[in-house]
C-alpha cells in the first residue's frame, strides 16, 4: 500500500482538525436531554472551559454568594435563638456579629453555641 | 564547588523557582503591566486580539503579545544558557515557534462555541503539537524550544500564588468534609486498585490518574506528574481522559440529579466534588439554579486548594518509597533532599507567602491580592506557561508511544473504577455533611 508522506499526513490532519473545530464553533447542540447543558451554556454564555477555580471569571461573585448564604442562615438561626434562648445563650445569639465571630474562630462550628 | 551549590544554577527545578519568584517579586513591586491574554471571540476572529477599555476605543494587544513573547524568551533563555542543555540560539528560536503555537491554541479555545463545550486550551495545545509531531515530525529548531518540564514547573510555582489556604473554610465544615475527606480516600483507593489489583507497572500513570480524578483534573495531573517526574506520554494520556470524561459528566450529572429529584444543594456538592474541572462544575451547577452554582463552585475551589499539599506528599512518597532501590535501607535525609523535586518547594512557598503574608498584609480579604497581583499577572503568566508546556508535550509525543502505555486498557479501567468509587463516596459524604450533620449550614 502506498505510504503517505509527512506533508500529506499534515494536510489530512489539518483538514480533520479544522473540520472538528468548526463543528464545535458552530453552536450545534445534540438534540434532546443530551444537549440540555450545552444549550443552557449557549443561552447564558457560560464558559465551561476553566481548568482551575481562579480561571472562572465570576469566581469572586460565587464566593461572595456563598458567604451571603451562610450569613443569612447564621442570622436566621441567631434570630430564632433570640426568641427562645436561655440567659446563657443570649449573649451570643442576640448579636449576629458575635455569632459570626464565633464561626471565624472555629470554622468547624456551624451553629452559634 | 559542590554539586549542591552548582545545582542552584544547573538544575531546571531551581530555575523554575527563580523564574517564578522573579515574576512574583515584580508583581508585588507593581512594576509589571497587565499581562496580555488572548480574548474571547464569537464570529469575528480578530476580536480575540483586541481589548475594550472603559470609555476608550478598542485597542489591539498584538504589540503587548509580541513584547510578552520576547520577554519570556529572554527570561527563559537566561536559564537555558546557564544549564547549557541546548544551544541558546536554537532554544530562543524554538521558543518563539512554540509561543506562536500557544497563541493559536488559545485563539481556538477562546471561541465562544468552544468555551460552551468546555474544551480548554490544554486540549488544543496538545492537538496542535501532536498534529505536527505525528505528521511531518517536529523540526529540530522547534524541538530545542520544547522545554516541557521547565514550563510546567515555572507555571506551578506561579500557581502557588493562587492557592490561598484560608479559602478552605469558605463553606465551613460540610465543604471541608466533601472536599477534604473524600479526596485522600479516593487517591489511596485508586493507587491500591491500580498497583495491586490491575498490577499496572507504570506507577506514575496510576498516581496521575488517581489525583486527576479525585482533585481537579488537568491542574492536579500537571502538578503530580511533575512531582513524580512522570513521562510526557503519561500526562498526555491522563489529561486526554480527564478532559473527555469531564465533558461527559458535565452533560449528564445535572440530568441525573434532576431525574432523581435530589436536593439542589446536595447535587451541587456532589458535582463539585466529582467533576474534574471547575468550569464544567460551574456550568453543571448552574443547571440546578444560582445557589447550586455557587455551592458547586466553592466545593471545587476548596478541593483545588489540596493540589499543593498533594504534590508535596507525592514528591516525598516518590523519593522515599517508590524510587527506593534497596528496600532494607532507609534513605538518609541528604539523599531524600538530593532527589526531592525542588520546584515543589517554590510551589508551596508561593502558596504560603500569599496565604499568610500577602493576603493578611493587604487587609485580610482576598480581593486586593487577587485583583492586584494574581489575576492580572501571576495567573495569566501561569496560563501561558501551561499552554507552552502542552504544546511542547504534543511536539514530543507520538501516537505509537501513547498506545504502548495503554497496557490493554488498564488506565481507562482505573479511571472508570476510581470515578465510580468517587461518585459513590462523594454522594454519601455530601449527604451526611449537608443533610445529617450540618443541615442548616447553607
Amino acid at each position: 500500500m502506498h505510504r503517505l508522506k509527512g506533508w500529506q499526513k499534515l494536510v489530512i490532519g489539518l483538514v480533520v482538525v479544522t473540520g472538528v473545530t468548526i463543528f464545535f464553533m458552530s453552536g450545534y447542540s445534540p438534540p434532546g436531554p443530551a444537549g440540555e447543558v450545552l444549550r443552557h451554556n449557549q443561552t447564558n454564555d457560560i464558559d465551561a472551559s476553566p481548568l482551575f477555580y481562579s480561571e472562572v471569571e465570576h469566581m469572586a461573585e460565587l464566593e461572595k454568594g456563598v458567604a451571603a448564604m451562610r450569613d443569612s442562615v447564621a442570622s436566621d438561626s441567631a434570630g430564632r435563638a433570640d426568641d427562645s434562648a436561655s440567659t446563657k445563650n443570649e449573649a451570643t445569639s442576640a448579636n449576629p456579629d458575635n455569632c459570626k465571630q464565633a464561626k471565624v474562630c472555629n470554622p468547624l462550628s456551624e451553629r452559634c453555641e | 564547588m559542590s554539586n549542591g551549590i552548582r545545582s542552584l544554577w544547573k538544575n531546571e527545578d531551581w530555575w523554575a523557582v527563580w523564574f517564578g519568584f522573579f515574576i512574583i517579586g515584580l508583581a508585588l513591586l507593581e512594576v509589571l503591566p497587565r499581562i496580555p491574554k488572548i480574548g474571547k471571540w464569537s464570529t469575528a476572529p480578530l476580536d480575540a486580539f483586541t481589548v475594550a477599555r472603559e470609555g476608550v476605543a478598542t485597542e489591539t494587544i498584538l504589540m503587548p503579545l509580541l513584547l510578552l513573547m520576547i520577554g519570556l524568551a529572554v527570561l527563559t533563555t537566561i536559564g537555558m544558557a546557564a544549564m547549557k542543555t541546548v544551544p541558546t540560539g536554537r532554544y530562543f528560536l524554538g521558543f518563539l515557534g512554540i509561543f506562536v503555537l500557544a497563541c493559536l491554541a488559545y485563539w481556538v479555545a477562546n471561541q465562544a462555541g468552544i468555551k460552551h463545550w468546555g474544551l480548554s486550551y490544554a486540549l488544543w495545545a496538545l492537538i496542535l503539537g501532536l498534529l505536527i509531531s505525528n505528521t511531518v515530525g517536529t523540526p529540530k529548531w522547534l524541538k530545542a524550544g520544547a522545554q516541557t518540564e521547565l514550563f510546567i514547573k515555572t507555571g506551578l510555582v506561579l500557581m502557588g500564588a493562587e492557592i490561598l489556604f484560608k479559602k478552605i473554610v469558605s463553606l465551613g465544615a460540610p465543604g471541608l468534609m466533601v472536599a477534604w475527606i473524600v479526596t485522600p480516600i479516593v487517591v489511596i483507593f485508586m493507587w491500591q486498585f491500580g498497583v495491586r489489583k490491575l498490577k499496572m507497572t507504570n506507577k506514575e500513570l496510576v498516581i496521575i490518574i488517581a489525583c486527576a480524578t479525585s482533585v481537579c483534573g488537568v491542574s492536579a495531573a500537571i502538578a503530580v506528574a511533575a512531582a513524580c517526574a512522570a513521562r510526557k506520554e503519561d500526562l498526555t494520556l491522563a489529561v486526554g481522559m480527564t478532559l473527555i470524561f469531564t465533558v461527559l459528566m458535565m452533560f449528564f450529572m445535572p440530568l441525573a440529579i434532576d431525574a432523581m429529584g435530589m436536593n439542589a444543594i446536595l447535587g451541587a456538592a456532589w458535582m463539585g466534588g466529582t467533576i474534574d474541572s471547575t468550569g464544567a462544575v460551574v456550568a453543571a451547577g448552574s443547571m440546578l439554579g444560582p445557589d447550586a452554582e455557587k455551592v458547586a463552585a466553592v466545593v471545587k475551589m476548596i478541593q483545588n486548594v489540596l493540589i499543593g499539599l498533594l504534590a508535596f506528599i507525592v514528591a516525598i512518597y516518590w523519593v522515599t518509597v517508590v524510587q527506593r532501590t534497596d528496600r532494607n535501607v532507609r534513605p538518609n535525609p541528604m539523599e531524600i533532599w538530593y532527589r526531592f523535586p525542588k520546584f515543589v518547594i517554590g510551589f508551596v512557598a508561593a502558596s504560603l507567602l500569599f496565604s499568610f503574608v500577602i493576603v493578611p498584609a493587604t487587609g485580610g480579604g482576598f480581593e486586593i491580592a487577587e485583583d492586584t497581583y494574581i489575576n492580572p499577572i501571576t495567573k495569566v503568566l501561569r496560563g501561558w506557561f501551561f499552554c507552552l508546556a502542552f504544546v511542547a508535550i504534543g511536539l514530543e509525543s507520538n501516537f505509537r508511544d501513547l498506545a504502548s502505555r495503554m497496557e490493554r486498557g488498564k488506565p481507562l479501567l482505573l479511571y472508570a473504577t476510581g470515578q465510580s468509587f468517587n461518585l459513590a463516596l462523594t454522594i454519601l459524604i455530601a449527604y451526611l455533611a449537608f443533610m445529617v450533620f450540618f443541615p442548616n449550614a447553607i
Side-chain angles (χ1 to χ4, degrees), chain B residues 173-191:
Chain B
L176 268 179
M177 278 180 72
V178 174
W180 280 47
I181 290 180
V182 177
T183 303
I185 296 174
V186 175
V187 172
I188 293 166
F189 168 81
M190 289 183 73
W191 170 255

Side-chain angles (χ1 to χ4, degrees), chain B residues 25 30 42 76 161 218 244 256 318 371 401 405:
Chain B
E30 297 183 37
S42 181
T76 52
V218 176
I244 292 166
W318 234 253
D371 292 347
D401 277 352
R405 303 188 93 69

Side-chain angles (χ1 to χ4, degrees), chain B residues 8 19 21 33 37 45 60 74 98 107 117 136 193 196 202 205 228 245-246 258 268 276 280 284 309 424 428:
Chain B
L8 293 176
F19 291 150
F21 273 87
K37 54 181 180 181
T60 176
V74 170
I98 287 174
W107 175 76
W117 278 88
V136 287
F193 184 74
R196 293 184 194 277
N202 187 349
L205 183 57
C228 68
F245 280 97
T246 296
D258 190 44
D276 291 338
L309 193 63
L428 173 69

Side-chain angles (χ1 to χ4, degrees), chain B residues 47-69:
Chain B
D47 283 357
F49 299 98
T50 55
V51 62
R53 302 222 184 272
E54 281 173 56
V56 184
T58 306
E59 57 187 72
T60 176
I61 59 159
L62 286 176
M63 188 48 80
L65 265 183
L66 191 68
L67 290 173
L68 175 69
M69 177 173 75

Side-chain angles (χ1 to χ4, degrees), chain A residues 6 10 25 33-34 37-38 40-41 45-50 53-55 58 63-64 66 69-70 73 110, chain B residues 40 111 115-118 162 167 172-173 250-251 255 278-280 286-287 293 304 367 379 382 438 440 442:
Chain A
L10 179 65
M25 286 176 171
V37 174
L38 192 59
H40 176 75
N41 290 354
D45 195 21
I46 293 172
D47 178 4
S49 68
Y53 85 88
S54 55
E55 292 169 16
H58 62 302
E63 287 177 64
K64 279 181 195 159
V66 166
M69 285 163 76
R70 296 186 72 211
V73 169
E110 280 307 312
Chain B
K40 191 177 168 184
Q111 198 271 344
K115 278 179 170 284
H116 299 149
W117 278 88
E162 295 163 52
K167 294 208 173 197
M250 175 182 79
F251 275 22
L255 301 180
T278 316
S286 77
M287 281 290 288
E293 179 188 5
N304 280 184
E367 271 183 11
K379 185 182 84 176
R382 187 263 297 165
F438 307 101
N440 300 319
I442 282 287

